[in-house]
Amino acid sequence: MGKKIMADINYKIILPTNVKYLDITHNFIELLKITWPEAIKNLVISVTGQEKDKSISIGNIPVVLNESTSSLPTCIYNAVQNNPAEYYLIFLGDAFISKRIDNREVDSLLKRLIENSINYCRLLPQFSLYRKGIVKEYRKLNSDERYGHSFVAFGASSEFIKSEFANGITDRQFELNYLELASKKKNIYFPDRVVLRQNMFHILPSIQKGKWDRINILYLKRKYPQINFSNRGVISLKYESILLIRKAILPFISDSLRLRLKANKRKYFDTDL
């Protein structure tokens, strides 16, 4: 069981990263060898920010070296050009896969995404009152959903990656574009874009502004003591508390109240939208 993963589907897992975060990328790979070892052979690292003419080696994993100023979406785009596949799974280096993956579930998901021509799939579930287009694994993404298009972890077709990332866009601008669309309240269900209903990849984002999320790194260190996690600092207890509160209340408050909160506590938010 588990050895037949994707026998008939050519897929790749792309990790776009800046050279400053290679320590986190190494931790991601160490953890992946435990939680999803079958996936290692499909992994591609795409790096930006490195010094000119310096090579990077990460075991036997293919590494795409981009221009030092390339954005993370450009790293993804270039990796796709060099590694053709039927579907791609993209994870930022700190989107740790924290528990054992069920290969049969992944196999079923990818087959459904391909068969139904789904060009984008948000891998981290998100609470929403938009309930159309629901199947077992996912629901349709609505244009009004804030951060419905997340850059942290997603699945995508090569067509989506080429259309969205070929122009040098940054990951921040990618999310801002869809935040601006959400603010227009058009209430459109994308026919080819979905959000997973369950966190089947057990994704645990664990870096905030270059530092460890104190709760998540504590969990990872306790569960996987065999891994030498990078010796970065941790965010403050106050900032951790703000993040938890923000995550809990933002899906439920009105746009006007959300904008007032952002105006008063700007440093705890990434955008003004």
Side-chain angles (χ1 to χ4, degrees):
M1 185 177 70
K3 297 299 184 181
K4 295 173 64 177
I5 181 170
M6 306 309 144
D8 58 344
I9 297 177
N10 177 20
Y11 80 107
K12 296 292 182 183
I13 300 172
I14 299 175
L15 263 65
T17 189
N18 189 286
V19 69
K20 296 178 181 178
Y21 286 88
L22 280 178
D23 56 331
I24 304 300
T25 302
H26 279 285
N27 285 161
F28 181 100
I29 295 168
E30 290 176 274
L31 186 56
L32 193 69
K33 289 177 180 179
I34 299 171
T35 58
W36 196 11
E38 300 87 350
I40 294 294
K41 65 181 181 295
N42 299 307
L43 195 59
V44 178
I45 313 297
S46 194
V47 182
T48 184
Q50 74 279 4
E51 295 180 23
K52 190 175 181 180
D53 300 327
K54 278 204 170 184
S55 62
I56 294 175
S57 177
I58 305 178
N60 295 320
I61 299 171
V63 177
V64 178
L65 296 178
N66 301 275
E67 295 292 331
S68 62
T69 57
S70 293
S71 67
L72 293 181
T74 298
C75 289
I76 295 171
Y77 177 82
N78 289 340
V80 166
Q81 304 314 300
N82 295 323
N83 297 275
E86 292 178 82
Y87 215 78
Y88 297 89
L89 299 174
I90 293 92
F91 299 89
L92 292 185
D94 75 310
F96 292 107
I97 297 177
S98 61
K99 295 180 182 178
R100 190 67 168 90
I101 294 293
D102 186 330
N103 292 319
R104 295 169 299 178
E105 288 187 1
V106 177
D107 183 43
S108 174
L109 172 66
L110 288 184
K111 287 179 179 177
R112 184 181 285 270
L113 293 175
I114 292 171
E115 289 170 359
N116 292 309
S117 301
I118 301 299
N119 285 312
Y120 174 88
C121 176
R122 189 188 201 277
L123 300 184
L124 271 170
Q126 174 167 273
F127 174 82
S128 176
L129 297 176
Y130 299 99
R131 308 299 294 169
K132 288 187 179 180
I134 296 177
V135 297
K136 178 183 177 183
E137 296 95 340
Y138 56 74
R139 61 174 177 81
K140 289 290 180 68
L141 177 62
N142 189 281
S143 63
D144 292 359
E145 293 185 68
R146 293 178 52 76
Y147 294 106
H149 289 77
S150 171
F151 197 79
V152 174
F154 62 96
S157 66
S158 59
E159 289 78 11
F160 179 89
I161 291 169
K162 291 172 184 177
S163 66
E164 295 280 343
F165 299 156
N167 60 357
I169 192 173
T170 66
D171 50 315
R172 178 178 174 81
Q173 189 58 54
F174 170 72
E175 291 190 337
L176 281 175
N177 287 346
Y178 286 103
L179 281 173
E180 291 174 2
L181 177 61
S183 69
K184 296 177 181 178
K185 301 298 181 185
K186 293 186 175 182
N187 191 25
I188 299 170
Y189 284 91
F190 293 98
D192 63 343
R193 305 183 189 189
V194 300
V195 185
L196 288 189
R197 298 177 64 198
Q198 302 292 330
N199 190 3
M200 60 180 288
F201 290 93
H202 308 294
I203 299 165
L204 192 69
S206 300
I207 293 290
Q208 297 286 348
K209 299 186 182 301
K211 296 182 178 181
W212 287 110
D213 179 297
R214 59 193 309 125
I215 294 176
N216 291 351
I217 188 57
L218 181 61
Y219 168 83
L220 291 170
K221 285 182 175 181
R222 286 180 174 176
K223 189 171 180 63
Y224 301 101
Q226 67 271 45
I227 295 178
N228 183 24
F229 288 99
S230 179
N231 188 29
R232 288 176 174 248
V234 298
I235 60 175
S236 69
L237 185 58
K238 178 182 178 181
Y239 187 43
E240 183 85 44
S241 301
I242 292 291
L243 292 176
L244 291 173
I245 294 171
R246 188 181 73 176
K247 181 179 179 181
I249 67 172
L250 282 184
F252 302 100
I253 63 176
S254 66
D255 285 348
S256 59
L257 178 57
R258 172 175 50 79
L259 292 174
R260 287 203 300 273
L261 285 172
K262 288 192 171 190
N264 292 329
K265 299 291 184 182
R266 180 67 183 85
K267 68 178 179 177
Y268 297 119
F269 295 90
D270 296 324
T271 74
D272 293 318
L273 294 171

